[in-house]
Amino acid sequence: MLALGSLLASSSWAWNPFESGPRFQEPALTAAEWRSVDQKAGWATDSDTTLLIEISNRLPGPLACHGAVVTLQNGSEVKKAFSPYLYVPVGATKQTGLSGVKKGSMKSFNLSCNCWKRDGDPRCSDPKKTP
């Protein structure tokens, strides 16, 4: 029994019976990939303190957006983590909102999004559509 426990705990154990198909990584988007993601921001018509962000995905694979950071003109930041992550399928557009950002106070905004890439492949792809 001890031998089985040490074998399972070994870092050289390469086969996983619960894993099938190619492995995927979730790296940050490159500058070229960001050019295929349209981002817009504006305020809701009924609130001057709710910033709406729209994300359109033109990449060959879906996006997982983890959060947003809004830098205000006074140098402070408003941060929001998306829980669950904001999933943006290929060719789709999704919207989210951040409260506490007064209209006219925003300097810039940044999103934190990743896509999935097969090991050894530099392109975004859909892990649900494995060959």
Side-chain angles (χ1 to χ4, degrees), residues 19-73:
E19 185 176 299
S20 65
R23 294 181 53 124
F24 285 86
Q25 303 296 321
E26 194 179 340
L29 296 179
T30 65
E33 289 166 340
W34 272 116
R35 288 191 287 276
S36 293
V37 178
D38 293 328
Q39 306 170 59
K40 298 177 186 174
W43 280 263
T45 55
D46 60 343
S47 173
D48 66 350
T49 60
T50 301
L51 178 68
L52 299 178
I53 297 176
E54 183 177 273
I55 307 157
S56 297
N57 181 10
R58 295 178 300 150
L59 290 168
L63 289 174
C65 294
H66 306 272
V69 176
V70 177
T71 303
L72 304 177
Q73 291 179 2

Side-chain angles (χ1 to χ4, degrees), residues 24 60-62 115-118 121 123-129:
F24 285 86
C115 70
W116 289 270
K117 295 180 181 180
R118 283 186 180 88
D121 190 347
R123 296 170 294 147
C124 296
S125 59
D126 192 340
K128 293 180 184 175
K129 296 180 182 178

